[in-house]
Amino acid sequence: MRLFSGLSAFPLTPTDAAGHLQADVLGRFLERIQAAGADSIGLLGSTGGYAYLSREARQRAVRVAVECGGGKIPIIVGVGALRTDEAETLARDAKAAGADGLLLAPMSYTPLTDEEVFQHFSAVAEAGGLPLCIYNNPSTTKFTFGDDLIARLAKLPNVAAVKMPLPANGDFSGEMKRLRAITPDGFAIGYSGDWGAADALLAGCDAWYSVVAGLLPASALALTRAAQAGDGSKAARINDAFQPLWDLFRVFGSFRVMYVMADLLGLARIEPPRPILPLPQEARSRVEEALQTLKGTGSFIP
């Protein structure tokens, strides 16, 4: 299977209040993902809180992941940073530690132009020397990749994939047809936004970059495999079981919900990095209810 395909599971990056990595907890998350049979680990993505971590914490997280994976599961590492030279350094760090691929979002304070993003990606892709996925995540970066920019970036050496947000009109097939017409053969098109994953996979996308798979990898994999096999009824049944959780992801943000889930699943009692605050008790109760609903359907696989 190609690197940017199938189910890519994105774990939290557990840290203490000072931002130091809790390596044992990260290892616990990664072991579950590997044991479930996910196709790759998406380390230091948005779910992994990469923007809140020091270079040292990120280096250590990659080392832990590589040691834990033992070459049995590909590791895609997020290397986004505000400055191009910092992102280049992070890309070199990831390669040196044994990562298999890179994920890059155009972080910014000053809004970026298309040319600035192109030059940024060109420099980081060259520095990393690994297959790189374009991270199109306008909800956090406030930058949207247009078709022309994606087509231009896809011609760069090492740029091999794009991670897209869910299309506003829900037309996955149309969007993928359009993108495949302007990108090289083998360029992988995947989606994030867990609540749209079933539709994206059934429409033939290459990858689901999954938040929930960071904690419930086996359940997410069941959804992935059903959709990849074209079993729409099974995929819909599993997706319906997840629906209360998807609703909470949309209301509170999946990042916050995942920290509550880690606690409720008995995996770790950790808090998000400040200034992000833990969810209040009322919200925690709703997350617990959503997990109980998932368990009650038979689609929950611990």
Side-chain angles (χ1 to χ4, degrees):
M1 184 172 282
R2 292 179 297 138
L3 176 61
F4 300 110
S5 63
L7 177 67
S8 189
F10 281 67
L12 298 167
T13 308
T15 59
D16 62 19
H20 300 128
L21 182 72
Q22 297 183 34
D24 57 335
V25 179
L26 178 59
R28 195 178 309 146
F29 294 159
L30 298 173
E31 287 166 4
R32 284 169 59 84
I33 293 170
Q34 182 174 324
D39 297 301
S40 67
I41 290 169
L43 193 73
L44 302 177
S46 293
T47 307
Y50 71 95
Y52 301 98
L53 300 173
S54 67
R55 177 189 176 191
E56 291 71 24
R58 291 166 76 157
Q59 284 179 307
R60 191 176 180 210
V62 181
R63 290 196 298 269
V64 169
V66 171
E67 290 171 6
C68 182
K72 297 177 182 177
I73 182 170
I75 298 169
I76 302 165
V77 177
V79 294
L82 285 172
R83 291 176 56 95
T84 298
D85 55 355
E86 291 176 354
E88 289 175 302
T89 296
L90 292 167
R92 294 189 190 99
D93 287 346
K95 183 178 183 180
D100 299 284
L102 305 175
L103 178 67
L104 179 62
M107 293 177 65
S108 67
Y109 179 79
T110 300
L112 300 175
T113 67
D114 280 12
E115 184 60 27
E116 287 166 341
V117 169
F118 178 81
Q119 295 293 341
H120 180 68
F121 272 71
S122 179
V124 177
E126 181 178 0
L130 290 173
L132 183 144
C133 181
I134 301 164
Y135 193 176
N136 185 3
N137 189 12
S139 65
T140 58
T141 65
K142 311 307 176 187
F143 182 89
T144 301
F145 288 81
D147 289 359
D148 290 345
L149 181 56
I150 291 172
R152 191 180 175 199
L153 288 169
K155 296 176 183 177
L156 290 173
N158 300 321
V159 177
V162 64
K163 177 179 185 285
M164 295 290 290
L166 303 177
N169 63 359
D171 185 10
F172 293 96
S173 296
E175 181 170 83
M176 284 186 281
K177 182 178 180 180
R178 192 177 72 245
L179 290 175
R180 285 176 175 145
I182 61 174
T183 54
D185 290 345
F187 185 83
I189 301 169
Y191 286 88
S192 55
D194 281 9
W195 50 91
D199 289 338
L201 289 164
L202 286 166
C205 76
D206 294 294
W208 172 20
Y209 298 99
S210 173
V211 174
V212 80
L215 289 176
L216 294 175
S219 296
L221 189 66
L223 174 57
T224 302
R225 295 294 186 252
Q228 287 179 319
D231 190 338
S233 60
K234 183 176 181 180
R237 176 178 61 78
I238 299 172
N239 189 64
D240 286 347
F242 272 116
Q243 199 60 55
L245 202 54
W246 299 160
D247 292 342
L248 293 173
F249 278 10
R250 286 191 287 256
V251 171
F252 297 110
S254 58
F255 187 62
R256 296 179 179 88
V257 174
M258 285 284 280
Y259 279 88
V260 177
M261 287 175 57
D263 185 9
L264 294 175
L265 292 169
L267 297 173
R269 181 164 290 183
I270 51 178
E271 293 190 352
R274 297 292 301 270
I276 308 299
L277 295 174
L279 291 181
Q281 183 56 48
E282 183 273 336
R284 287 178 59 88
S285 298
R286 291 176 63 182
V287 177
E288 186 170 17
E289 290 172 5
L291 288 175
Q292 290 300 327
T293 298
L294 182 60
K295 291 178 181 178
T297 64
S299 297
F300 176 85
I301 307 173

